[in-house]
C-alpha cells in the first residue's frame, strides 16, 4: 500500500502542467462549492436565527380567542408559564409576541406600521435587547425613551417611515388598530427614536413598550400574548419540545363551580357545544321536561337540571344569577343565566347542574376564569368515557400537532371554516411555520449548488480525459508492472490514488482560496437599503457561514466524485492484457 | 551415477495463432521444448521467428492457442489471472529489451518493487536484499539515481537486479542486449551468467545476434514458429 501511495504521489509530478491545470479546475470547483454553500448557509442562518427567530421563535405557543382576528390572547398566563417552567433546561428565552398592524397618521400622510411590543425591563431580556439594538441601529433618540413616562405612548420608528409620515423626534402620531375584542381603537403615540433599517423588511417595524401595547390592545395582568420560545439546539429540540408542550396543554372540561345567589346551594355550571352536530346529539341524549329545543338553540339559553329548577323555582324564560370565586380569589363573581329548558339529570348529571350555551359560557369563563373544581364538585361532571363528555365545552381547543407546512396550512384552513367559541391553542415550530422563508433558503441552496455542481461536472469530464490520456501514455508501464506481478486491483488502486491525491491537494487549495475570497467579499460594505437583495446582507455586508463540517462535507463530495469518476478508466487500465500493454507504442 | 536436473519448463505441442486483419498468423507451430533448472539457454532466430511470443507464453503474459506449457511444475493454461500474476511474481523474473524501469522510482526502489508486491518481507529485509543485488550488478554507487540519470547498460543492470530480487526459479530476457552497444551488451550477458552461477537461477534469453551465442550454454533455434535445432 505504501509503495502504491509513494508511486502515485510521484506520478502526480510527471505531467506537471497537465495535473496543475486539472488541479486548478478542481480547486475552482471546490472554491465555488464552498463559497456557494457557505453563502446559502449564511442566508439560512439569517433566515432561521434572525428573521424566523424574530417572527416566530423556534417554538411558538399561539392562541386565538373565539375566532376573533386580533384576539391572540390567553387569559391564564400562570397556567402556561407553569408548563413552560418544566422545560427550563431547553428553553433559553420566552418572548411574548404582542404586535399589531396599525394605521399611522402623520403629517398629511398615513402608512401602515407593524407595531411590536418590547419588554426591555424584564429580567433575562438583556440579550434580546442587545440583538434588537444591533439589528435596528438607532440614529436618533434613545431606546430607554420607550419607557419615558412623560411622553404619551413613546414609539421608535424607521427612518424611512418617519420621512414618509413627515415626523421627527418629539412629534405625535395617531395610530389606529384593532384590539383583542376586534374593536377599532385609536391612540396617540410620540416618536421618541428613529432607527436605520438594513433591509426593506425592517422598514415598517415600529417599537413600543410592551405594557403600553398591552394596555392599548386590552390585555389584563393575567393574560398573555403568543409566546415565542428561543431554545437550545433548535434543529434537535424544537419538535420534541413542541410535542411535549402539546401533550401538557391537553384541555379538561370547562367547569364553573358556583353557588346560587341567595343560598349556598352548590351549582355546577358547564357549557354545551352549540354546533349543529353536538346540538343534535345533545337533544337525543337529554330528556327535556320543559321548554323546546328550537327556542333554546335560537335564544342561546341554558338548560337547568329538574331538581335544581324545582328548588329555585325556575322555568323556561326565567333568569338566575349565580356567584363563584375566580382563579385569582375574587369571590362573588356574578354570572347571569337565562333558562331555556329543564332537563332530567338521570344518573349522569349532578342534581344541581346548569348547561349553558357555549358562546355565553365562554364569555364568562374567559373574562373571569373560575377556580379549579374540587374533587367533590367534579362528581357531578360526566367522565371522559361518557358520550356526554364530547358534547360539553372544554377549557380550550388544542389544535392537533402538524409536522409539515402543508398540514399546518390545512389545519388553519379547516379552523377558519368553523367559527369556534373556545380559545384555540396551537403549538408549532418554525420548521412548519416558516415555509416561505425556508423554501427561499432551499431554492437559494439549490441554485448555488446546481451551479457549483455543473462546474464540477465539467471538471470531472476533465478528470476522465486526463486519466485516459495518462493511461494511454503509461500503457507500457502498466504492462511492465503487471508482468512483474502486480495484481489488477493494485493497478486500479494506483490510478485511484493518483486521482485521489490530485483532488485532495486541489480541494485543500480550493478551500484556502474560498476562505480568502469569502473574507475579502464580506469585508466590502454594500448599501442596498431599498433593494430586496438587501435581506441577504448583515449590517451591510455579505454574510458567509462556512463551518468545519460543511467545508469537510464539500471536500468529501468532490473527493468521492473524482474517485468514482476515475474508477472506470482505472479499472480499464487494470484489465489491460500485459502482453498487449507491453507491445503498445505511441 | 550423475544426478539428472529437473525440467523447469515443459512444453509440448505449443501453437500460437494471431488474427491479423482477415488472416491468421501462425506465430508458433507445435513447439516441444524442455528446459532444465539452472540452465543458461538462448533462443535464437531471425525477426518474426516467434522468439518473443515463445518467451511471453513461458513468462505467463501471453496465452497459448493450443498445447501444454508447464512452468516450475504448474500447468499455466488453466490458471486464472490472479493465479498467473502470483506465479509471475514468485517464480519468474523479466528483463526487457527496453529495460522498462519505473521512471518515478530510483534504482533501489525499482529493485525493491517486486518484493514489495509480495507483501511478505519486512522493510529492512527488502532493503537489504535490494542493496545486495545492486552491489552484485555493480550499481552500489548509483542506488539513489532515477532511471533517466543512468546509461543504457546501467538501466539493464537495474532490470537484472529487479528480475532476481525475488529469487525466482526462472528469468526470461527478451533480447536484453538489443539496445546496447556490443561492449555493454557483453558485460550485461556476463552479469547474467554470473547471476546464473551465483543464484542458481535458470536464464532463458532470446536474441537474433549470433555474437551473443558464445555466452549461452544451450541454444534453441527457432524459424517461422518451429524449432529447427535444440
Amino acid at each position: 500500500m505504501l509503495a502504491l501511495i509513494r508511486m502515485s504521489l510521484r506520478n502526480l509530478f510527471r505531467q506537471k502542467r497537465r495535473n496543475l491545470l486539472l488541479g486548478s479546475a478542481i480547486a475552482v470547483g471546490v472554491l465555488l462549492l464552498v463559497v456557494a454553500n457557505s453563502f446559502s448557509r449564511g442566508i439560512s442562518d439569517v433566515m432561521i436565527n434572525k428573521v424566523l427567530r424574530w417572527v416566530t421563535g423556534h417554538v411558538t405557543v399561539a392562541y386565538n380567542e373565539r375566532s376573533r382576528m386580533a384576539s391572540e390572547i390567553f387569559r391564564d398566563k400562570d397556567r402556561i408559564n407553569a408548563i413552560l417552567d418544566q422545560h427550563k433546561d431547553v428553553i433559553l428565552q420566552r418572548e411574548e409576541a404582542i404586535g399589531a398592524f396599525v394605521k399611522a397618521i402623520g403629517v398629511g400622510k398615513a402608512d401602515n406600521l407593524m407595531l411590536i411590543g418590547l419588554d426591555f425591563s424584564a429580567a433575562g431580556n438583556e440579550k434580546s435587547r442587545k440583538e434588537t439594538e444591533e439589528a435596528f441601529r438607532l440614529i436618533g433618540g434613545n431606546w430607554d425613551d420607550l419607557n419615558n413616562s412623560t411622553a404619551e405612548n413613546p414609539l421608535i420608528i424607521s427612518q424611512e417611515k418617519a420621512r414618509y409620515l413627515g415626523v421627527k423626534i418629539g412629534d405625535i402620531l395617531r395610530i389606529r388598530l384593532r384590539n383583542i375584542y376586534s374593536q377599532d381603537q385609536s391612540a396617540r403615540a410620540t416618536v421618541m427614536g428613529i432607527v436605520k433599517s438594513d433591509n426593506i423588511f425592517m422598514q415598517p417595524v415600529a417599537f413600543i413598550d410592551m405594557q403600553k401595547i398591552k394596555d392599548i390592545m386590552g390585555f389584563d395582568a393575567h393574560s398573555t400574548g403568543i409566546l415565542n420560545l428561543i431554545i437550545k439546539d433548535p434543529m434537535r429540540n424544537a419538535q420534541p419540545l413542541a410535542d411535549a408542550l402539546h401533550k401538557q396543554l391537553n384541555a379538561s372540561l370547562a367547569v364553573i363551580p358556583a353557588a346560587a345567589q341567595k343560598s349556598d346551594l352548590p351549582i355546577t355550571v358547564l357549557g354545551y357545544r352549540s354546533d349543529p352536530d353536538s346540538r343534535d346529539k345533545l337533544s337525543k341524549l337529554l330528556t327535556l321536561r320543559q321548554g323546546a329545543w328550537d327556542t333554546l338553540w335560537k335564544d342561546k339559553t341554558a338548560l337547568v337540571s329538574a331538581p335544581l329548577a324545582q328548588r329555585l323555582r325556575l322555568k323556561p324564560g326565567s333568569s338566575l344569577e349565580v356567584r363563584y370565586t375566580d382563579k385569582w380569589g375574587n369571590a362573588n363573581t356574578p354570572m347571569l343565566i337565562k333558562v331555556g329548558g329543564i332537563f332530567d339529570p338521570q344518573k349522569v348529571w349532578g342534581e344541581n347542574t346548569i348547561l349553558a350555551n357555549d358562546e355565553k359560557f365562554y364569555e364568562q369563563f374567559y373574562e373571569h376564569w373560575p377556580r379549579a373544581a374540587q374533587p367533590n364538585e367534579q362528581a357531578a361532571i360526566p367522565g371522559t368515557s361518557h358520550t356526554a363528555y364530547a358534547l360539553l365545552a372544554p377549557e380550550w381547543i388544542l389544535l392537533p400537532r402538524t409536522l409539515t407546512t402543508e398540514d399546518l396550512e390545512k389545519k388553519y384552513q379547516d379552523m377558519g371554516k368553523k367559527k369556534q367559541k373556545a380559545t384555540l391553542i396551537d403549538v408549532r415550530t418554525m420548521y412548519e411555520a416558516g415555509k416561505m422563508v425556508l423554501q427561499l433558503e432551499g431554492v437559494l441552496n439549490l441554485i448555488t449548488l446546481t451551479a457549483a455542481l455543473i462546474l464540477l461536472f465539467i471538471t470531472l469530464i476533465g478528470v476522465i480525459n486526463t486519466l485516459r490520456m495518462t493511461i494511454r501514455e503509461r500503457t507500457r508501464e502498466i504492462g511492465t508492472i503487471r508482468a512483474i506481478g502486480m495484481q489488477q486491483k493494485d493497478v486500479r488502486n494506483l490510478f485511484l490514488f493518483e486521482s485521489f491525491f490530485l483532488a485532495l491537494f486541489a480541494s485543500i487549495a480550493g478551500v484556502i482560496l474560498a476562505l480568502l475570497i469569502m473574507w475579502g467579499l464580506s469585508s466590502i460594505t454594500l448599501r442596498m437599503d431599498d433593494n430586496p437583495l438587501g435581506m441577504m446582507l448583515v449590517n451591510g455586508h455579505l454574510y458567509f457561514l462556512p463551518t468545519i463540517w460543511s467545508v469537510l462535507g464539500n471536500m468529501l463530495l468532490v473527493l468521492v466524485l473524482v474517485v468514482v469518476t476515475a474508477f472506470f478508466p482505472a479499472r480499464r487500465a487494470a484489465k489491460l492484457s500485459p502482453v498487449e500493454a507491453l507491445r503498445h507504442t505511441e | 551415477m550423475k544426478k539428472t536436473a529437473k525440467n523447469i519448463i515443459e512444453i509440448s505441442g505449443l501453437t500460437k495463432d494471431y488474427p491479423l486483419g482477415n488472416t491468421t498468423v501462425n506465430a508458433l507451430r507445435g513447439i516441444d521444448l524442455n528446459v532444465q533448472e539452472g540452465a543458461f539457454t538462448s533462443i535464437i532466430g531471425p525477426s518474426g521467428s516467434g522468439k518473443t511470443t515463445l518467451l511471453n507464453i513461458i513468462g505467463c503474459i501471453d496465452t497459448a492457442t493450443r498445447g501444454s506449457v508447464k512452468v516450475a511444475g504448474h500447468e499455466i493454461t488453466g490458471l486464472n489471472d490472479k493465479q498467473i500474476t502470483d506465479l509471475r511474481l514468485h517464480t519468474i523474473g523479466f528483463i526487457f529489451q527496453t529495460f522498462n524501469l519505473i521512471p518515478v522510482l530510483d534504482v533501489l526502489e525499482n529493485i525493491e518493487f517486486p518484493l514489495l508486491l509480495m507483501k511478505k518481507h519486512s522493510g529492512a529485509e527488502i532493503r537489504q536484499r535490494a542493496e545486495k543485488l545492486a552491489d552484485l550488478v555493480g550499481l552500489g554507487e548509483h542506488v539513489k539515481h532515477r532511471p533517466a540519470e543512468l546509461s543504457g547498460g546501467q538501466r539493464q543492470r537495474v532490470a537484472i537486479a529487479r528480475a532476481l530480487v525475488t529469487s525466482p526459479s526462472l528469468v526470461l530476457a527478451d533480447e536484453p542486449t538489443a539496445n546496447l552497444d556490443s561492449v555493454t551488451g557483453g558485460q550485461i550477458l556476463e552479469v547474467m551468467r554470473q547471476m546464473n552461477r551465483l543464484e542458481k537461477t535458470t536464464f532463458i534469453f532470446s536474441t537474433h545476434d549470433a555474437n551473443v551465442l558464445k555466452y549461452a550454454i544451450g541454444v534453441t533455434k527457432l524459424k517461422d514458429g518451429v524449432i529447427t535445432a535444440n
Side-chain angles (χ1 to χ4, degrees):
Chain A
M1 180 69 89
L2 275 175
L4 283 185
I5 291 173
R6 186 169 56 197
M7 267 178 78
S8 57
L9 280 172
R10 289 188 191 169
N11 278 334
L12 280 184
F13 293 95
R14 282 168 79 172
Q15 288 102 14
K16 283 194 195 93
R17 186 182 294 179
R18 187 192 300 159
N19 283 333
L20 194 67
L21 274 173
L22 182 60
S24 304
I26 296 174
V28 171
V30 172
L31 180 154
L32 285 175
L33 200 60
V34 171
V35 171
N37 200 239
S38 303
F39 186 58
S40 64
R41 282 184 71 85
I43 288 174
S44 301
D45 184 57
V46 171
M47 301 287 183
I48 291 173
N49 293 324
K50 296 192 171 61
V51 177
L52 263 187
R53 177 218 170 290
W54 273 94
V55 178
T56 70
H58 299 132
V59 174
T60 306
V61 183
Y63 333 96
N64 182 245
E65 192 180 87
R66 286 182 272 171
S67 299
R68 286 192 301 223
M69 214 177 127
S71 292
E72 291 176 330
I73 180 173
F74 188 73
R75 294 175 189 259
D76 189 355
K77 183 165 75 177
D78 297 344
R79 185 119 167 228
I80 295 285
N81 281 337
I83 291 171
L84 295 181
D85 282 346
Q86 293 172 35
H87 301 281
K88 273 182 177 163
D89 53 329
V90 182
I91 299 171
L92 296 172
Q93 209 175 321
R94 49 185 100 156
E95 293 173 351
E96 215 175 337
I98 297 182
F101 283 100
V102 303
K103 187 89 165 173
I105 301 137
V107 182
K109 274 187 180 170
D111 203 352
N112 293 320
L113 294 180
M114 201 164 87
L115 196 60
I116 291 175
L118 290 181
D119 188 7
F120 285 166
S121 56
N125 279 6
E126 298 80 9
K127 189 166 177 261
S128 172
R129 175 173 182 157
K130 195 165 167 276
E131 284 172 354
T132 311
E133 289 182 8
E134 275 172 10
F136 295 86
R137 283 167 292 131
L138 208 64
I139 52 172
N142 192 323
W143 284 103
D144 289 327
D145 282 342
L146 281 180
N147 296 317
N148 188 329
S149 57
T150 59
E152 193 179 4
N153 295 324
L155 198 70
I156 291 180
I157 62 172
S158 71
Q159 187 184 26
E160 291 76 13
K161 292 293 174 187
R163 197 180 296 146
Y164 182 79
L165 293 167
V167 288
K168 55 186 186 304
I169 290 175
D171 287 351
I172 298 285
L173 275 176
R174 183 159 286 279
I175 54 172
R176 235 183 14 234
L177 53 81
R178 187 160 284 189
N179 70 10
I180 57 165
Y181 301 103
S182 283
Q183 294 161 342
D184 283 334
Q185 179 89 21
S186 62
R188 282 154 54 91
T190 316
V191 178
M192 296 300 283
I194 291 177
V195 287
K196 179 106 190 78
S197 45
D198 278 328
N199 60 54
I200 55 166
F201 296 101
M202 292 175 167
Q203 288 174 11
V205 175
F207 298 104
I208 189 168
D209 176 61
M210 182 64 87
Q211 194 50 53
K212 293 276 187 326
I213 194 172
K214 276 186 162 183
D215 292 344
I216 297 170
M217 296 280 291
F219 279 78
D220 65 18
H222 304 299
S223 305
T224 177
I226 288 175
L227 285 173
N228 288 342
L229 308 177
I230 309 301
I231 64 172
K232 283 182 200 161
D233 194 359
M235 295 280 262
R236 208 183 61 185
N237 292 325
Q239 300 287 7
L241 176 68
D243 291 342
L245 292 177
H246 188 263
K247 209 171 166 186
Q248 288 173 295
L249 281 166
N250 206 13
S252 308
L253 276 190
V255 181
I256 301 179
Q261 193 194 9
K262 289 174 187 166
S263 66
D264 282 341
L265 185 67
I267 297 171
T268 304
V269 184
L270 301 168
Y272 67 81
R273 294 188 183 216
S274 59
D275 60 281
D277 189 42
S278 301
R279 282 190 329 210
D280 189 42
K281 285 179 182 160
L282 193 71
S283 61
K284 284 175 185 156
L285 190 75
L286 293 183
T287 311
L288 208 58
R289 289 213 185 150
Q290 292 179 52
W293 289 114
D294 287 347
T295 323
L296 195 88
W297 304 143
K298 192 161 80 49
D299 298 341
K300 298 176 183 172
T301 48
L303 285 153
V304 178
S305 65
L308 181 65
Q310 198 175 1
R311 272 179 210 136
L312 298 178
R313 295 193 192 107
L314 298 170
K315 57 181 197 275
S318 53
S319 292
L320 160 73
E321 190 172 281
V322 297
R323 293 193 171 262
Y324 66 95
T325 306
D326 76 8
K327 204 177 166 97
W328 296 279
N330 300 315
N332 293 327
T333 304
M335 179 181 185
L336 186 69
I337 291 163
K338 284 185 180 171
V339 181
I342 311 295
F343 74 98
D344 182 358
Q346 294 164 346
K347 286 180 183 170
V348 179
W349 311 87
E351 286 197 346
N352 299 336
T353 303
I354 295 175
L355 300 177
N357 175 286
D358 55 358
E359 193 178 323
K360 304 285 178 192
F361 178 81
Y362 279 127
E363 272 175 26
Q364 178 75 33
F365 187 85
Y366 290 141
E367 294 274 350
H368 305 282
W369 204 295
R371 65 168 172 80
Q374 301 299 312
N376 62 325
E377 292 162 337
Q378 285 178 348
I381 306 165
T384 49
S385 56
H386 197 276
T387 327
Y389 190 90
L391 307 176
L392 298 174
E395 293 174 293
W396 59 77
I397 294 171
L398 182 63
L399 295 177
R401 280 280 295 126
T402 42
L403 294 177
T404 63
T405 310
E406 286 70 24
D407 289 347
L408 184 81
E409 281 175 349
K410 194 171 174 301
K411 179 169 78 176
Y412 288 162
Q413 275 169 8
D414 292 347
M415 190 188 79
K417 284 177 196 161
K418 296 182 210 160
K419 198 157 171 67
Q420 297 286 357
K421 317 287 190 316
T423 292
L424 300 176
I425 299 189
D426 188 32
V427 183
R428 59 179 184 247
T429 69
M430 66 175 181
Y431 300 104
E432 303 137 53
K435 182 189 177 185
M436 294 295 282
V437 174
L438 293 173
Q439 263 183 349
L440 179 64
E441 180 216 342
V443 169
L444 279 170
N445 259 327
L446 199 68
I447 292 170
T448 49
L449 285 178
T450 308
L453 285 174
I454 287 172
L455 196 97
L456 263 179
F457 179 72
I458 296 166
T459 308
L460 291 177
I461 294 173
V463 171
I464 294 179
N465 276 338
T466 304
L467 208 58
R468 284 174 66 171
M469 233 184 297
T470 304
I471 289 166
R472 195 179 160 80
E473 283 169 5
R474 301 216 315 248
T475 303
R476 277 177 71 87
E477 196 177 310
I478 294 167
T480 305
I481 55 179
R482 289 279 290 128
I484 288 171
M486 187 183 264
Q487 293 289 356
Q488 284 186 357
K489 71 175 171 57
D490 288 333
V491 176
R492 183 195 66 207
N493 290 345
L494 180 68
F495 286 99
L496 289 183
F497 275 131
E498 282 184 42
S499 307
F500 173 82
F501 284 120
L502 178 66
L504 180 70
F505 298 142
S507 301
I508 292 169
V511 168
I512 293 169
L513 280 173
L515 293 175
L516 286 172
I517 285 174
M518 286 190 285
W519 175 76
L521 287 176
S522 59
S523 59
I524 301 168
T525 307
L526 301 165
R527 296 254 62 97
M528 286 196 190
D529 295 345
D530 298 322
N531 190 327
L533 290 176
M535 63 178 271
M536 295 178 185
L537 305 180
V538 172
N539 295 333
H541 296 276
L542 284 171
Y543 180 52
F544 298 93
L545 187 63
T547 64
I548 182 92
W549 294 114
S550 70
V551 169
L552 286 178
N554 289 333
M555 280 179 73
L556 189 69
L557 174 71
V558 172
L559 288 176
V560 169
L561 282 176
V562 168
V563 170
V564 168
T565 310
F567 180 82
F568 300 97
R571 191 177 60 172
R572 207 168 48 210
K575 285 191 182 272
L576 282 173
S577 144
V579 72
E580 295 293 336
L582 282 166
R583 265 192 219 126
H584 177 85
T585 46
E586 276 295 312
Chain B
M1 202 173 105
K2 194 180 170 186
K3 193 180 167 186
T4 314
K6 263 172 65 181
N7 284 335
I8 191 162
I9 307 285
E10 290 176 352
I11 297 171
S12 65
L14 171 64
T15 302
K16 178 70 182 177
D17 300 333
Y18 289 114
L20 186 70
N22 293 329
T23 60
T24 301
V25 178
N26 308 116
L28 297 174
R29 297 187 246 192
I31 300 281
D32 297 313
L33 175 69
N34 293 331
V35 179
Q36 288 184 341
E37 277 182 348
F40 191 78
T41 192
S42 166
I43 298 171
I44 188 165
S47 290
S49 60
K51 306 184 296 291
T52 300
T53 305
L54 181 57
L55 280 183
N56 285 344
I57 291 172
I58 295 171
C60 307
I61 56 174
D62 202 357
T63 51
T65 309
R66 280 181 298 280
S68 159
V69 181
K70 272 190 179 177
V71 178
H74 300 277
E75 175 58 58
I76 62 168
T77 45
L79 300 180
N80 63 27
D81 185 81
K82 186 173 184 307
Q83 291 166 326
I84 287 217
T85 308
D86 268 341
L87 185 67
R88 285 200 298 267
L89 179 62
H90 292 93
T91 314
I92 306 167
F94 285 92
I95 300 167
F96 302 96
Q97 180 182 337
T98 47
F99 327 125
N100 292 21
L101 299 178
I102 299 166
V104 292
L105 303 181
D106 64 26
V107 167
L108 209 56
E109 288 166 342
N110 262 291
I111 300 172
E112 287 172 351
F113 190 65
L115 281 179
L116 290 169
L117 294 178
M118 289 174 92
K119 297 170 188 167
K120 63 179 186 186
H121 303 285
S122 69
E125 284 172 340
I126 292 171
R127 181 69 18 144
Q128 201 178 7
R129 172 83 179 144
E131 281 171 351
K132 183 185 163 194
L133 277 161
D135 280 340
L136 278 175
V137 295
L139 286 171
E141 302 290 308
H142 300 86
V143 287
K144 288 292 162 200
H145 287 68
R146 293 265 176 107
E149 298 160 350
L150 302 174
S151 68
Q154 286 171 323
R155 288 184 208 183
Q156 201 59 303
R157 284 164 192 261
V158 179
I160 293 168
R162 181 179 68 183
L164 289 165
V165 76
T166 58
S167 306
S169 318
L170 173 67
V171 170
L172 301 172
D174 186 15
E175 309 227 20
T177 59
N179 277 352
L180 303 172
D181 60 73
S182 58
V183 177
T184 313
Q187 287 169 349
I188 288 298
L189 286 163
E190 283 295 349
V191 171
M192 285 167 55
R193 180 73 186 104
Q194 190 191 356
M195 293 296 139
N196 167 248
R197 279 197 294 263
L198 283 174
E199 302 270 322
K200 311 286 182 216
T201 308
T202 308
F203 273 78
I204 304 175
F205 59 96
S206 68
T207 184
H208 62 271
D209 182 355
N211 290 328
V212 172
L213 284 181
K214 61 184 177 195
Y215 295 95
I217 309 295
V219 174
T220 298
K221 283 188 180 172
L222 210 57
K223 190 178 179 192
D224 297 331
V226 179
I227 293 175
T228 53
N230 192 4

